[in-house]
Amino acid sequence: MPPWPASPAVPRAVKLKLLARRLSVSAPKMSVRRHVPWPLRLMAFAAVLVVGAGGALWAWHGLAGDALFGRGARADRVAHLELALASETAERQRLSALATSTDSQLKVERSAGEQLAAQLKSLESENARLKADLTYLETLLPAGAAEGVIAIRRFEVQRDAQPGQLRYRALLTQDARADKDFEGALQLLVSTESEGRKATLTWPAAVAQTPGTIPGLKVSFRRYQRVEGVFEVPAGVAVRSVQLRVLEGDAVRAQQTVMM
């Protein structure tokens, strides 16, 4: 059979020319493609889009994750530094408070030490004064028997702040050659006057005494002894004089009177 159906309308010369053109090297190339239905083409195109989008999404997540982890690490570092700073600040405040407390305690102890030093100095001065008084008094004491001679010096009586009360003071001395303590008692005889009537009050008040005991306020000393106290008188009673007695048993060893 001829390559195409014979057509009476086409001259034979033209057919030969067309055949020669097709067989020549200048004839256009032709390719044979297999026919693919359009749904399959659409599915392939969609698969390519999905794969590309997945790769892009994976790359973006990787970069975003790196950036996120980097920010997280920096945040952790900042939080760690903030905690360290807060700890150092708290420690500094604690040490500052401790230093302030220690300084205050040192000031208190220094003040207490200064007060103790002042008191010690005052006591030393008082002790020196008392020793000087004792030395002076011993030069004035009369010589007596070995059992000791008692004297009353600087006897004073003054009205106290409370109504009806009087305060007395005295210095008792013993002979310098005495070799034992004096054991005795004090007694006050208060001469009063009320509505023209005179009376004598004994202080401490006279009570029934056990035989052999010493009446009055007990005293025991060697060389010297300062005594003082307060006694009361009835309201409306005028005090005219006060006599201080030093007793040894029932015997009066010394006495002195002060006029009011």
Side-chain angles (χ1 to χ4, degrees):
M1 288 182 63
W4 54 80
S7 177
V10 179
R12 188 176 182 82
V14 173
K15 291 180 179 181
L16 292 174
K17 188 177 181 179
L18 290 175
L19 179 60
R21 183 182 294 175
R22 290 180 179 179
L23 295 177
S24 66
V25 294
S26 60
K29 295 181 179 180
M30 299 179 61
S31 60
V32 179
R33 294 182 179 178
R34 185 176 180 181
H35 177 70
V36 180
W38 68 266
L40 294 180
R41 292 181 181 181
L42 184 60
M43 291 177 63
F45 181 72
V48 171
L49 288 179
V50 169
V51 171
L57 184 61
W58 176 81
W60 182 83
H61 273 295
L63 295 176
D66 291 341
L68 181 60
F69 290 148
R71 288 195 299 271
R74 288 194 297 272
D76 292 342
R77 181 61 177 172
V78 170
H80 177 72
L81 292 176
E82 288 178 350
L83 289 176
L85 178 60
S87 177
E88 293 294 335
T89 302
E91 181 66 13
R92 183 182 63 81
Q93 292 177 351
R94 186 185 70 82
L95 293 177
S96 178
L98 180 61
T100 302
S101 176
T102 303
D103 184 63
S104 300
Q105 186 176 359
L106 287 176
K107 289 182 179 179
V108 171
E109 292 179 354
R110 187 181 301 112
S111 176
E114 292 175 354
Q115 293 180 359
L116 290 176
Q119 292 178 0
L120 179 60
K121 186 176 181 180
S122 176
L123 291 175
E124 289 177 348
S125 300
E126 179 70 12
N127 189 33
R129 186 182 66 82
L130 291 176
K131 288 182 178 180
D133 290 347
L134 178 59
T135 303
Y136 173 72
L137 291 173
E138 286 179 346
T139 61
L140 299 178
L141 293 179
E147 56 270 14
V149 174
I150 303 302
I152 301 175
R153 303 178 185 275
R154 301 179 186 176
F155 178 46
E156 299 175 352
V157 178
Q158 297 177 347
R159 299 190 182 277
D160 202 25
Q162 298 296 330
Q165 291 186 349
L166 290 92
R167 180 175 296 275
Y168 68 92
R169 298 184 181 86
L171 175 65
L172 308 181
T173 61
Q174 184 187 32
D175 180 56
R177 296 181 301 174
D179 58 357
K180 65 178 181 179
D181 293 347
F182 173 77
E183 301 287 344
L186 301 180
Q187 190 180 64
L188 293 176
L189 298 180
V190 183
S191 297
T192 63
E193 183 176 353
S194 177
E195 297 179 355
R197 293 180 298 180
K198 297 182 179 181
T200 300
L201 304 177
T202 302
W203 189 88
V207 295
Q209 298 287 333
T210 304
T213 59
I214 304 174
L217 299 175
K218 294 183 179 181
V219 292
S220 176
F221 66 94
R222 180 178 294 190
R223 297 290 185 271
Y224 74 97
Q225 175 70 48
R226 297 179 186 273
V227 295
E228 65 176 314
V230 176
F231 63 93
E232 296 183 1
V233 295
V237 174
V239 178
R240 300 305 180 187
S241 65
V242 180
Q243 183 182 80
L244 175 62
R245 291 181 175 182
V246 181
L247 306 176
E248 186 177 19
D250 295 332
V252 178
R253 296 302 183 189
Q255 61 184 15
Q256 189 172 348
T257 303
V258 172
M259 303 303 296
M260 303 296 294

